[in-house]
Amino acid sequence: MGKIVSISEQLQQWAFNFGPKLLSAIVVFVIGLYAINWFSRITSKSLLRKNIDSSLQSFLASMVGVSLKVFLLITVAGMLGIQTASFVAVVGALGLAVGLALQGSLSNFAGGVLILVFKPFKPGDLIESGGQTGVVQEVQIFNTILLTPDLKTVILANGAVSNNTIVNYSKHGSLRVDITLALTLNSDVEKAKELAMQVMHANELVLIEPAPTVNLLKVRDGKIMLTIRPFTNADKYWDVYFTVQEQIKKTFDSNNIEIAAPFSFAPVA
């Protein structure tokens, strides 16, 4: 009977000493969870207002929520008298080890975040990066997917893309097509320029503004070099490049304007 009374007194003493800590920890835990959920919703709405990519929205909101919940658990454990220093050290060491093991992936992740936040390009844009040129099919967290003009799929690591030069041919909506033709020295340059302008104005894929131009580039090696520059939408670049060149060749032939052989051209992609 005495042992039972002693155990009961010890339990009462433990409840008296530990009860307030436990109650405070429960209150902090409940309020903390509510505050974290509220903050996560606010973060998601803020990212949505800034038009951040949906996949990045979900990831960042989850990362913020998990980080705050880990911090809350450590705080509650400390309130209960549990030594958290060693636990924090283990978590830190684990994070460092994972970071070192995945530093390449983390670099690609950071690059993906930068691309999705600052949007140097978007799906549908024609870009050049890392020596590759193509239309952006998808921007993922770790990679950017391009489709090249010859229908090859190119996967670029976002770390490399964000750290290298990016040329976005679609950023301003229109793109200049550069065609260089060589005429013989006895050609009527003014007539050739007029005919080339007529061909470009008649092509429905060539933009009215910016206006197309034809200029005498130089006279060299017994040839007159003309540079012909129509503008078009980025997705119609190759259509304009081929059709304008073909139509000019036919028009010159029918008007006795001789193209010197060989003639050259310089596409941008």
Side-chain angles (χ1 to χ4, degrees):
M1 187 67 179
K3 290 183 179 181
I4 295 177
V5 173
S6 176
I7 293 174
S8 177
E9 290 176 351
Q10 290 177 6
L11 290 174
Q12 291 177 3
Q13 185 65 33
W14 179 85
F16 180 79
N17 294 332
F18 189 73
K21 292 182 181 181
L22 180 61
L23 182 61
S24 299
I26 293 174
V27 171
V28 168
F29 182 75
V30 172
I31 294 176
L33 281 180
Y34 177 81
I36 289 171
N37 291 333
W38 174 81
F39 186 77
S40 296
R41 288 195 298 270
I42 294 297
T43 301
S44 297
K45 291 179 180 178
S46 177
L47 294 173
L48 182 61
R49 284 196 299 270
K50 294 181 178 180
N51 294 320
I52 303 299
D53 184 83
S54 58
S55 60
L56 184 59
Q57 289 180 30
S58 176
F59 181 85
L60 291 178
S62 298
M63 185 173 65
V64 169
V66 170
S67 299
L68 291 176
K69 286 176 182 177
V70 170
F71 178 76
L72 176 63
L73 289 175
I74 294 175
T75 301
V76 170
M79 293 178 64
L80 294 175
I82 300 173
Q83 294 297 322
T84 59
S86 58
F87 177 73
V88 172
V90 170
V91 172
L94 182 61
L96 178 61
V98 172
L100 291 174
L102 301 176
Q103 55 182 339
S105 297
L106 291 176
S107 173
N108 292 332
F109 167 75
V113 171
L114 292 175
I115 292 171
L116 291 169
V117 170
F118 294 105
K119 297 182 183 299
F121 53 81
K122 64 183 185 300
D125 285 354
L126 175 65
I127 71 165
E128 178 183 345
S129 180
Q132 299 291 336
T133 300
V135 176
V136 179
Q137 300 296 294
E138 187 178 0
V139 182
Q140 301 174 346
I141 291 294
F142 293 98
N143 301 300
T144 293
I145 313 299
L146 300 184
L147 183 65
T148 65
D150 53 351
L151 299 182
K152 295 178 181 177
T153 298
V154 178
I155 302 175
L156 299 176
N158 283 338
V161 173
S162 63
N163 288 320
N164 289 325
T165 300
I166 300 171
V167 181
N168 190 333
Y169 295 112
S170 304
K171 188 70 173 180
H172 295 289
S174 60
L175 194 62
R176 190 182 74 188
V177 181
D178 292 338
I179 302 172
T180 303
L181 293 180
L183 306 181
T184 58
L185 285 177
N186 60 350
S187 298
D188 186 338
V189 175
E190 291 303 318
K191 184 177 181 180
K193 291 170 64 175
E194 181 182 349
L195 291 172
M197 288 295 294
Q198 291 176 5
V199 167
M200 289 188 288
H201 285 309
N203 191 313
E204 61 182 10
L205 298 180
V206 175
L207 299 178
I208 299 175
E209 186 63 35
T213 62
V214 181
N215 295 288
L216 195 157
L217 181 62
K218 55 190 172 183
V219 178
R220 188 180 68 181
D221 300 330
K223 301 174 184 177
I224 300 172
M225 309 297 294
L226 286 185
T227 177
I228 302 164
R229 294 172 173 172
F231 288 82
T232 187
N233 295 322
D235 60 336
K236 300 300 182 182
Y237 176 90
W238 289 110
D239 293 331
V240 169
Y241 173 74
F242 290 119
T243 59
V244 167
Q245 191 168 209
E246 180 181 352
Q247 291 163 0
I248 287 177
K249 175 64 169 63
K250 291 179 179 178
T251 302
F252 282 6
D253 288 345
S254 63
N255 286 272
N256 299 317
I257 295 177
E258 187 177 355
I259 296 178
F263 65 88
S264 62
F265 46 88
V268 299

